[in-house]
Amino acid sequence: MTESAPLAAQRREVILDTVRRKGAVRVAALVEQLGVSDMTIRRDLDVLARAGAVEKVHGGAVSTSGTTGDEPGFETKSTLQSAAKAAVAEAAAQLVQPGSVVAISGGTTTYAVAHRLRDIAGLTVVTNSLPVAELLRSFGTEDDSAAPTLLVTGGAPTKSASLVGPLADQAIRSLQVDLLIVGAHGVSERAGVTTPNLAEAETNRTLISAATRLAVVADHSKWGVVGLSRFAGLSEIDYFVSDDGLAEQARTVLGEQVGRLILAQTQGS
């Protein structure tokens, strides 16, 4: 009998989500979980491995990302999931109200959000991101009366060009912001929102304490990835903004735990 393509796609989504959440999975466990043959599961793993989504090992598969202490640089991350990031950024910018005080953390998705704030009047933007600060400063040099007022925290830069550490934390503690837009290295049901950088996690926690509302922006590829340090639980999030590539299991978990789940439609979806 010919395998049904939609059923195969659904199985592979479940397999990929399981690998992302647990870091590894065994063929025998998937056979029992999904009620299909050993051969079918191995074919599914072959497809996922060819796509670079998992790494096959004896008896199963492991995550190609998983738990990690590695932090790519800003330029490297800028090249990843660009269409999804653009869609997420567009949706997140809709949360920003004219005349409000907005904090924007470091990261390439938050940088994409900052690009879309130019025409929102009366904004004050607090940021610990050097690229975001440079972008917003450039708005002001073009004689744009609507350009946001910019406040930059101090601190030491990370590999991803975020200012972190005691100086940044001290500056942030004196502020009150209406909305914080924060990026993530990884998000999972167990670990919440994480980053591989301990100092960045502490600065992000300080930003969260200063904010009335918290918006996390993370494309679908961040689900199931776990960084070294947690800075927010899912229940703390007012808005979780992702894209329509997010797995169904992730949608269920987030829909139950965050204040509002927003899924942006990527171009061509």
Side-chain angles (χ1 to χ4, degrees), residues 7 179 244:
L7 290 177
L179 175 67
D244 52 10

Side-chain angles (χ1 to χ4, degrees), residues 49-89:
R50 285 196 298 270
V54 302
E55 179 183 348
K56 287 188 70 180
V57 296
H58 180 69
V62 297
S63 173
T64 56
S65 53
T67 302
T68 178
D70 182 46
E71 181 181 19
F74 185 88
E75 294 301 324
T76 299
K77 291 194 290 186
S78 294
T79 65
L80 304 175
Q81 301 292 340
S82 56
K85 285 178 182 177
V88 169

Side-chain angles (χ1 to χ4, degrees), residues 27-28 31 36-43:
V27 170
V31 167
V36 294
S37 70
D38 177 284
M39 185 176 295
T40 296
I41 293 299
R42 291 184 187 279
R43 282 201 303 268

